[in-house]
Amino acid sequence: MLKWPRFLPRFDGSVFFECPGSNSASEYTTWVDSTPNQGVHPSTPRDSLTPSLPQDSITQLSKHPSTNEADRVQSLHSSANAPCFVASPSTLIAQDPLSESSIHPATRGSKVTTSHDPQDRVLSLHCPQTVSQARLPSESLTEGAPVGGQSILGGAHHFRMRDLVHAPNATQVRIVNETSIQHNAINIERARFDALPKHPEMSVKRAEYLPDSRKPDVEELCERESNGTELVLCIHGPAGIGKSTLAGHLSDKFRSADRLAGSVSLSAFPTDTFGPEAIIKMIAHEIGSIHPQAIPKIVEAMDQCHSTSLENHLEKYILKPLQSLNRGQPLIIIIDAMDEWPDHPTFIKALAHLNSQSHVVKFLITDRLNPCASHLPGIEKISIRTYALGSIPKEVIKTYFHKHLETVPWADGRMATPSDVDKLTELSGGLPVWAANVIALLSLRLSESPPHEILEEIVGNSSDGI
């Protein structure tokens, strides 16, 4: 059974501190008056006592690197069976941090000196015993314990205060190293990802979407996308009907609902220089830009798809990254002006590889012709649904003219009349591109004629248009 002493001993000894640069130790000398240790015979030589280093003393020293000497001594009075434990004064702490010193127990009359060498800031003491030789309280508590019993500080025979105060925590170091490695890996992935073909900026080139101009079409297309299981939904119609404007509006709508995987307009750049693999990589870059969590899978595809089939490119660059997002609904890829790309037949034919993956990804494409009616090679193997886009209601076109004719820089106060607006609306045939071209001609002043003369020519030549 373990027995504790009835009375906790007090410190007996003196502590001398010598400041660097001072020839007198008395300037930094602190005397500690104490009674003899309880249970120790006065005739017993003090140097022969086995010092003990209580664990709480170590904690107090490490927590108070800048307190005064009275606080340091007071923090040591709670220790049992221990001689005075020496630390440098606060003035020395500022110059030689405690963490850079090894601290040893001292008996009465011991003197502490500090080395000025920054490579070897170790406190040396005139004491026959060091902390490595001291017996810890836990060792006395485990005396007589069965074989195999261990001290709570077992293995601390080579303890140094610098290791306790200044040594980094191994777990924290590992976490910091792992974080640094992960950060570097992310930077490398991002650099490789940014090397993929990029879609050009489209914010300036996009045509204005007239509010509610396509409301019935938008509602129908969203309903088909939600309830249909087809991989491809194709919107087709003649040139100028507003397919690209609608595609841009749907892109914004799906993006706000977090349903957009990527959007590509093949009329925005010379597609004859881009093969099917390059366009797939461009789509992958769109996916990673909108969903950064998919970038690692896209980078993996860069290592796995070299000199492989187009179907493998679709699976690795598009399907796998989207699967890694674990979405409950399929994400949508919008491809505008598909028929303006020379290699679009090859691309559409390869899409059959993803027919069974419409729960992960769906494609919404625009085309001037119905791909099914045009007997596009391989189209019969694609899970596809088509939607014919009609013209915009004339009331919407008329509202558009009223709004934008007010911005035209008319000369001599001559401007469009209500009759001119009616005639322009009829001439448009419900094509928003026609109305947009009229406003551009009147506003940009591409000729020397004033705007009202240009308008008269347009309205007067109703049979020819513009």
Side-chain angles (χ1 to χ4, degrees):
M1 178 178 297
L2 303 176
K3 295 184 179 180
W4 295 89
R6 292 184 179 181
F7 305 101
L8 294 176
R10 298 181 61 191
F11 290 103
D12 182 18
S14 301
V15 185
F16 291 86
F17 300 92
E18 180 177 282
C19 179
S22 173
N23 296 325
S24 174
S26 61
E27 296 179 23
Y28 293 89
T29 300
T30 301
W31 291 92
V32 182
D33 294 328
S34 59
T35 60
N37 292 335
Q38 296 292 336
V40 181
H41 195 278
S43 62
T44 304
R46 183 169 305 279
D47 289 344
S48 65
L49 295 177
T50 302
S52 179
L53 179 60
Q55 186 176 2
D56 53 357
S57 299
I58 299 172
T59 304
Q60 292 173 7
L61 280 175
S62 63
K63 288 183 178 179
H64 304 282
S66 61
T67 55
N68 56 39
E69 305 317 309
D71 293 337
R72 291 178 179 279
V73 174
Q74 183 62 33
S75 67
L76 297 174
H77 271 297
S78 61
S79 303
N81 298 323
C84 182
F85 202 71
V86 177
S88 59
S90 58
T91 55
L92 293 180
I93 293 297
Q95 302 174 13
D96 294 73
L98 181 63
S99 59
E100 297 294 333
S101 303
S102 295
I103 300 178
H104 307 272
T107 58
R108 179 183 296 273
S110 298
K111 182 162 60 174
V112 181
T113 60
T114 305
S115 171
H116 294 282
D117 186 357
Q119 300 296 327
D120 187 21
R121 298 182 179 182
V122 181
L123 296 178
S124 60
L125 301 139
H126 303 297
C127 177
Q129 291 182 326
T130 63
V131 173
S132 61
Q133 298 170 328
R135 294 178 62 199
L136 300 175
S138 58
E139 296 176 1
S140 61
L141 290 177
T142 57
E143 287 183 356
V147 177
Q150 295 183 352
S151 165
I152 58 174
L153 292 180
H157 300 293
H158 301 288
F159 172 84
R160 295 180 303 171
M161 180 57 73
R162 71 170 68 178
D163 297 333
L164 176 67
V165 178
H166 218 30
N169 184 280
T171 302
Q172 293 176 345
V173 170
R174 188 183 72 251
I175 293 174
V176 170
N177 289 340
E178 291 177 353
T179 302
S180 177
I181 293 172
Q182 291 175 0
H183 181 71
N184 292 336
I186 290 174
N187 288 340
I188 293 173
E189 282 185 347
R190 190 73 196 195
R192 296 189 64 194
F193 169 78
D194 288 338
L196 292 172
K198 300 177 181 61
H199 191 276
E201 177 61 42
M202 289 289 295
S203 58
V204 178
K205 298 181 180 180
R206 284 180 58 174
E208 178 188 3
Y209 175 76
L210 305 181
D212 297 328
S213 60
R214 292 287 186 185
K215 185 176 180 179
D217 296 311
V218 171
E219 292 177 349
E220 176 67 18
L221 290 168
C222 289
E223 191 276 333
R224 291 191 180 189
E225 186 279 324
S226 298
N227 299 327
T229 58
E230 294 83 8
L231 176 69
V232 179
L233 176 59
C234 178
I235 303 173
H236 61 90
I241 200 70
K243 299 185 299 297
S244 296
T245 303
L246 177 60
H249 176 68
L250 291 173
S251 177
D252 293 339
K253 188 175 181 66
F254 290 132
R255 178 70 183 270
S256 63
D258 199 22
R259 295 286 311 283
L260 183 68
S263 182
V264 174
S265 178
L266 298 177
S267 63
F269 53 91
T271 54
D272 55 346
T273 59
F274 290 88
E277 293 182 2
I279 296 300
I280 291 175
K281 293 176 182 178
M282 184 181 295
I283 295 173
H285 189 272
E286 284 283 297
I287 294 173
S289 298
I290 299 174
H291 306 281
Q293 306 95 320
I295 291 179
K297 286 294 182 182
I298 296 173
V299 174
E300 284 184 13
M302 299 174 70
D303 297 326
Q304 299 171 355
C305 293
H306 184 66
S307 300
T308 60
S309 65
L310 197 59
E311 288 78 6
N312 190 55
H313 277 69
L314 287 170
E315 179 176 345
K316 300 296 185 180
Y317 275 103
I318 295 178
L319 179 61
K320 295 299 183 182
L322 294 182
Q323 285 178 334
S324 69
L325 299 177
N326 295 320
R327 297 302 180 91
Q329 292 179 299
L331 294 178
I332 300 167
I333 296 174
I334 297 177
I335 305 178
D336 179 43
M338 176 68 79
D339 56 301
E340 297 184 28
W341 178 30
D343 290 324
H344 78 277
T346 304
F347 178 84
I348 291 180
K349 184 177 180 180
L351 283 180
H353 181 68
L354 301 180
N355 275 340
S356 61
Q357 301 298 329
S358 60
H359 62 286
V360 177
V361 59
K362 289 185 176 182
F363 291 83
L364 192 152
I365 67 175
T366 66
D367 200 317
R368 283 175 290 187
L369 300 177
N370 184 339
C372 297
S374 62
H375 303 290
L376 191 68
I379 195 64
E380 69 280 357
K381 297 180 180 180
I382 306 296
S383 175
I384 188 172
R385 190 172 185 179
T386 61
Y387 182 85
L389 189 64
S391 60
I392 292 179
K394 292 183 179 181
E395 288 301 319
V396 176
I397 297 292
K398 190 173 184 178
T399 301
Y400 174 82
F401 275 125
H402 277 299
K403 176 182 177 181
H404 289 277
L405 286 174
E406 294 179 357
T407 64
V408 174
W410 301 104
D412 302 327
R414 301 178 65 176
M415 53 192 307
T417 65
S419 177
D420 293 332
V421 174
D422 291 338
K423 291 181 179 178
L424 290 173
T425 301
E426 290 294 329
L427 291 172
S428 69
L431 298 178
V433 66
W434 194 93
N437 285 337
V438 169
I439 298 300
L441 286 173
L442 297 176
S443 302
L444 298 179
R445 302 293 297 271
L446 300 177
S447 67
E448 296 180 356
S449 302
H452 65 274
E453 292 183 2
I454 298 175
L455 177 60
E456 290 176 358
E457 292 181 7
I458 295 172
V459 175
N461 296 320
S462 57
S463 58
D464 297 331
I466 60 172

